Amino acid sequence: MHLTVLGFQSPYPGPLGATPGYLLQTEGTNLLLDCGSGVLSQLARHLPVYELDALLLSHYHHDHIADVGVLQYGLMVHQIFGQRAKDRPLPIYAPAEPAGKTESLVYREATRFYPVEEESRLTIGDVQISFLRTDHGDGDPCYAMRLDAAGKSIVYGADSGPGTDWSRFASEVDLFICEATYLERTKPAQPNGHLSVKQAAATAEKLGCRSLLLTHLFHEYREEEVRAEAGEYRHGICHVAKIGLQIEV
Ligand SMILES: [Zn+2]
Ligand SMILES: [Zn+2]
């Protein structure tokens, strides 16, 4: 599996930046995981939008869905131009709640919505996908995704606070894409559905993940500071997200 970071910043993109979006590719399958602000512009560097096979959305917070509307416009125009068949709408797999958010995922012939629950199991091309509800948000579901293909495994942890039970879902995965919203020095006193770099690093270490990608970072964090904080708790491979970073799993 080949992962490209299209966006990783939160809650809003920095200069020339983008909020979360990841391109996951295998021999025959192109998946977009989340579609934040600026992700479409970054995707254009790597893959024509009409070659996507599916979009998976973890939840409906704006930093993860902001570019869905322009993705739909792009697909519609490529259907008019003939690069993508009109009978091949892009499937969007996303939580069924809140219901008011799901309507906008169906657009002309461009996209179709398929609800996802924690028990859902998907096979898209050669990729098997399962879901775990995370400790995040204000009552609406947020789902982490586990993607398995060709004997390798990636968990995209989406947004998650310390209350998520990763033990069965992410143990010893080849790559754990884990949010690290705060540095310890910026962490709020009350947990609010996000992790610090320290918590993400310690979690990946405890789970025995073969590699870790720290993401969902504020754009003004310096990479050295993120690395230094993670390095105290994570001894295995540790990537720090940046636009265009590519990881082979
Ligand atoms: Zn969120
Ligand atoms: Zn977020």
Side-chain angles (χ1 to χ4, degrees):
M1 283 187 281
H2 189 78
L3 184 92
T4 304
V5 177
L6 303 176
F8 68 95
Q9 297 162 338
S10 184
Y12 64 94
L16 300 178
T19 66
Y22 307 88
L23 178 62
L24 189 286
Q25 298 176 284
T26 64
E27 285 283 300
T29 308
N30 299 311
L31 304 178
L32 181 59
L33 315 179
D34 281 343
C35 190
S37 174
V39 164
L40 260 281
S41 140
Q42 297 301 328
L43 177 65
R45 296 174 187 270
H46 303 281
L47 187 80
V49 65
Y50 52 82
E51 290 189 7
L52 282 174
D53 293 303
L55 166 63
L56 295 112
L57 296 176
S58 60
H59 66 309
Y60 291 96
H61 287 166
H62 293 292
D63 52 328
H64 297 254
I65 63 162
D67 269 7
V68 171
V70 290
L71 169 64
Q72 291 169 323
Y73 282 178
L75 290 165
M76 174 188 70
V77 166
H78 286 300
Q79 287 177 324
I80 292 169
F81 289 167
Q83 288 117 334
R84 188 174 179 102
K86 286 202 171 176
D87 62 357
R88 193 186 163 215
L90 183 79
I92 302 179
Y93 298 92
E97 301 290 333
K101 297 279 191 181
T102 65
E103 292 165 14
S104 64
L105 300 184
V106 179
Y107 184 71
R108 299 197 182 189
E109 306 305 316
T111 55
R112 291 291 175 268
F113 165 61
Y114 298 91
V116 157
E117 301 173 328
E118 194 168 42
E119 295 73 28
S120 300
R121 299 283 182 274
L122 304 178
T123 300
I124 305 174
D126 52 356
V127 186
Q128 318 264 323
I129 306 161
S130 55
F131 300 88
L132 175 74
R133 186 165 177 164
T134 67
D135 163 28
H136 182 64
D138 41 16
D140 296 322
C142 174
Y143 294 118
M145 305 161 200
R146 178 176 172 131
L147 305 110
D148 286 272
K152 300 286 187 178
S153 51
I154 294 176
V155 165
Y156 169 43
D159 284 5
S160 166
T164 307
D165 180 6
W166 296 109
S167 54
R168 288 174 51 186
F169 197 72
S171 285
E172 299 179 10
V173 290
D174 293 293
L175 174 64
F176 186 24
I177 304 168
C178 189
E179 75 133 272
T181 301
Y182 304 114
L183 294 162
E184 279 296 301
R185 65 176 171 81
T186 66
K187 196 171 78 168
Q190 296 295 324
N192 69 342
H194 291 290
L195 298 174
S196 67
V197 171
K198 167 187 169 180
Q199 289 172 314
T203 300
E205 195 70 7
K206 188 172 161 199
L207 290 168
C209 303
R210 292 189 181 84
S211 62
L212 167 66
L213 170 61
L214 294 168
T215 191
H216 207 267
L217 305 164
F218 185 52
H219 69 267
E220 289 185 353
Y221 292 168
R222 287 184 306 112
E223 182 180 340
E224 309 85 76
E225 189 173 11
V226 173
R227 274 196 189 286
E229 184 168 313
E232 291 183 42
Y233 306 93
R234 169 74 184 167
H235 306 297
I237 298 167
C238 182
H239 306 276
V240 177
K242 59 180 81 169
I243 305 281
L245 176 68
Q246 308 207 11
I247 301 173
E248 199 68 46
V249 174

